[in-house]
């Protein structure tokens, strides 16, 4: 239950952060006079629709919540890696080292969030956006490396598949941050970063359900009774056919999550465009004002007279 709860909390935090980033990025893009004036921002003040100073207390609410969530996640991973009960809590060498690696990645993201908070709230650490995106790209790449390396040491095919897909999503986030560090005016990359955060949040939830909830474990697979907290190898498939079927189900779930994220992006863009009051900017035209028939004839006669002269 504790492992499932941690997955639910992580999923909620990532999904909320991704949706908020999508909304603020769309607002920033639609309010820019032109595509050349748009610049990606690593941080958007809260609330996004308000530009007055009456909400100054809530301006850095996003960063405070992000630091709090990362601190809780870091403490949880550190405590799990140092657990002393080998059967009930799962202290094995693989579990210990993978948990410490995850805690190290979370600590790196915590430092980045603290640096961003200091940069936005004080003048002690002026952090340019391109440098922050470059550092975030390195952090996401490290997360990709940790998730990919954990696949090779997993004894559970289900958890190995979940870690493999999570590593790919982290690689996508790293690529989007690297593009924004080099091309901060690229709106598509900024949207892709928010979409990758949403996808990672949904996949974390799917991982928790597929590994720790009996109703969502694929048929032919089961949890080991002597490992109740869901450490590595706690969910296994006995037959090869069951393993292949479970992997195919996870691939199908990933495709469904991708479609759902695309729907979130479209709905967020449409809702923000309607709220901001921006109508068709691209591929649109404005009809010329119609003149009364008398004025039209007068303009035509003046044109003919000027031509003859």
């Amino acid at each position: 239950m504790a492992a499932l709860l941690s997955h639910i909390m992580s999923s909620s935090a990532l999904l909320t952060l991704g949706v908020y980033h999508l909304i603020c990025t769309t607002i920033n893009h639609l309010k820019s006079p032109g595509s050349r004036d748009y610049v990606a921002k690593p941080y958007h003040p809260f609330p996004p629709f308000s530009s007055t100073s009456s909400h100054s207390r809530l301006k850095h609410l996003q960063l405070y919540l992000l630091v709090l969530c990362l601190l809780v996640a870091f403490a949880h991973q550190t405590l799990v890696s140092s657990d002393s009960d080998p059967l009930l809590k799962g202290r094995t060498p693989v579990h210990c080292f993978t948990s410490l690696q995850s805690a190290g990645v979370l600590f790196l993201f915590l430092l980045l969030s603290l640096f961003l908070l200091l940069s936005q709230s004080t003048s002690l650490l002026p952090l340019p956006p391109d440098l922050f995106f470059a550092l975030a790209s390195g952090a996401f790449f490290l997360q990709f490396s940790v998730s990919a390396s954990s696949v090779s040491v997993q004894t559970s095919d289900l958890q190995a598949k979940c870690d493999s897909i999570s590593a790919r999503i982290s690689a996508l986030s790293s690529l989007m941050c690297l593009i924004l560090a080099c091309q901060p005016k690229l709106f598509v990359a900024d949207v892709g970063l928010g979409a990758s955060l949403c996808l990672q949040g949904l996949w974390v939830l799917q991982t928790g359900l597929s590994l720790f909830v009996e109703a969502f474990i694929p048929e032919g697979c089961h949890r080991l009774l002597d490992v109740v907290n869901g450490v590595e190898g706690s969910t296994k498939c006995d037959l090869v056919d069951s393993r292949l079927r479970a992997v195919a189900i996870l691939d199908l779930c990933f495709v469904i999550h991708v479609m759902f994220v695309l729907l979130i992006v479209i709905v967020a863009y449409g809702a923000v465009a309607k709220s901001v009051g921006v109508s068709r900017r691209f591929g649109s035209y404005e009809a010329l004002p119609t003149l009364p028939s008398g004025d039209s004839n007068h303009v035509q006669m003046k044109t003919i007279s000027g031509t003859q002269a």
Side-chain angles (χ1 to χ4, degrees):
M1 183 60 68
L4 178 61
L5 183 60
S6 65
H7 278 75
I8 292 176
M9 293 178 61
S10 301
S11 173
S12 301
L14 287 170
L15 188 59
T16 303
L17 180 62
V19 172
Y20 181 81
H21 185 81
L22 284 174
I23 292 175
C24 295
T25 298
T26 306
I27 294 174
N28 186 23
H29 174 67
L30 293 178
K31 286 188 175 182
S32 300
S35 59
R36 296 182 178 180
D37 299 326
Y38 172 80
V39 177
K41 300 178 181 179
Y43 162 72
H44 301 274
F46 184 86
F49 287 94
S50 177
S51 60
T52 62
S53 59
S54 58
H55 299 85
S56 58
R57 295 181 179 179
L58 301 177
K59 184 178 180 180
H60 303 99
L61 178 62
Q62 173 197 0
L63 293 178
Y64 291 138
L65 293 178
L66 181 60
V67 169
L68 179 61
C69 292
L70 288 173
L71 187 60
V72 172
F74 169 73
H76 174 263
Q77 286 293 336
T78 305
L79 291 176
V80 166
S81 64
S82 60
D83 220 316
S84 58
D85 195 340
L87 289 180
L88 299 180
K89 302 298 178 67
R91 187 182 182 184
T92 62
V94 174
H95 172 65
C96 180
F97 288 123
T98 55
S99 298
L100 287 177
Q101 289 175 354
S102 299
V105 174
L106 290 172
F107 183 73
L108 181 58
F109 279 107
L110 178 61
L111 288 180
L112 281 178
S113 301
L114 290 175
F115 290 160
L116 184 59
L117 179 60
L118 291 175
S119 176
Q120 296 293 329
S121 59
T122 64
S123 59
L124 298 177
L125 186 65
L127 189 65
D130 53 351
L131 178 59
F132 175 82
F133 281 122
L135 294 176
S137 176
F140 279 117
F141 184 80
L142 181 60
Q143 186 181 19
F144 157 74
S145 178
V146 169
S147 299
S149 62
S150 65
V151 174
S152 59
V153 296
Q154 289 293 344
T155 58
S156 170
D157 297 320
L158 283 181
Q159 190 160 355
K161 182 63 177 181
C162 292
D163 291 342
S164 174
I165 295 179
S166 178
R168 297 175 187 175
I169 301 175
S170 300
L172 177 62
S173 300
S174 177
L175 178 61
M176 293 297 105
C177 288
L178 182 61
I179 294 176
L180 289 175
C182 301
Q183 297 290 335
K185 297 181 180 296
L186 196 57
F187 171 68
V188 177
D190 208 1
V191 172
L193 177 59
S196 65
L197 293 176
C198 293
L199 185 58
Q200 188 70 268
L202 291 175
W203 190 249
V204 168
L205 178 61
Q206 181 65 48
T207 300
L209 294 177
S210 300
L211 295 179
F212 310 131
V213 179
E214 292 291 342
F216 290 91
I217 296 178
E219 184 179 355
C221 304
H222 61 89
R223 295 182 58 193
L224 299 181
L225 298 179
D226 56 347
V227 184
V228 297
N229 272 3
V231 298
E232 78 288 338
S234 61
T235 305
K236 291 187 176 181
C237 304
D238 296 329
L239 302 178
V240 177
D241 292 339
S242 300
R243 177 179 61 83
L244 295 177
R245 180 177 179 273
V247 170
I249 290 176
L250 289 177
D251 288 332
L252 178 61
C253 292
F254 177 70
V255 173
I256 294 176
H257 288 316
V258 171
M259 296 172 59
F260 187 67
V261 169
L262 292 178
L263 182 62
I264 291 176
V265 173
I266 295 174
V267 171
Y269 189 92
V272 171
K274 184 178 180 180
S275 301
V276 175
V278 178
S279 57
R280 302 169 59 187
R281 294 178 53 189
F282 307 100
S284 62
Y285 65 92
E286 294 181 359
L288 295 176
T290 57
L291 296 175
S293 58
D295 296 341
S296 178
N297 295 333
H298 180 67
V299 171
Q300 292 177 1
M301 291 300 296
K302 289 182 65 176
T303 304
I304 294 173
S305 299
T307 304
Q308 291 178 353

